[in-house]
Amino acid sequence: KHDAAGSVPVTGVRWDKDTLFFGTLEEGAALVDSFRVTNTGSAPYIISRTQTTCDCTVLQAPGYPIMPGESAVLRINFNSAGKLGLTQPAVIIYDNSTPNKRSILYLKGNINARKKPRKYPWED
């Protein structure tokens, strides 16, 4: 099976989750987590590039083909600085997966305002 361009064969993949729910963070806190992908097809799985919807998210993806039946971890670093309330940044993985040759993963959670330190115990 080759794609329309006839270059890279497409393959099936399975993600351990499509959304990473991180609950509530205090503004400014960093989160490090991961997504796991398994190649369920018969051709090597190749990630050609990745894109995030904000510079608050950094993705570390394997730069090598993931062979059929094998799994790999994509590490996510999320920085909540400057964020408040519900947030849902997306990560787009351009690859050779069927049917769309891309996978979209989300981080979802709530960012609370950082508490200001009290100067005196009687201050609210």
Side-chain angles (χ1 to χ4, degrees), residues 30-51:
L31 170 79
V32 176
D33 211 319
S34 62
F35 290 95
R36 177 176 289 278
V37 62
T38 301
N39 182 343
T40 59
S42 57
Y45 174 58
I46 300 164
I47 296 172
S48 54
R49 69 185 179 95
T50 61
Q51 184 179 343

Side-chain angles (χ1 to χ4, degrees), residues 73-97:
V73 170
L74 285 76
R75 290 178 51 91
I76 295 278
N77 295 315
F78 171 73
N79 185 346
S80 67
K83 304 275 181 222
L84 277 182
L86 185 65
T87 186
Q88 187 173 332
V91 176
I92 304 145
I93 294 129
Y94 296 94
D95 55 24
N96 64 324
S97 68

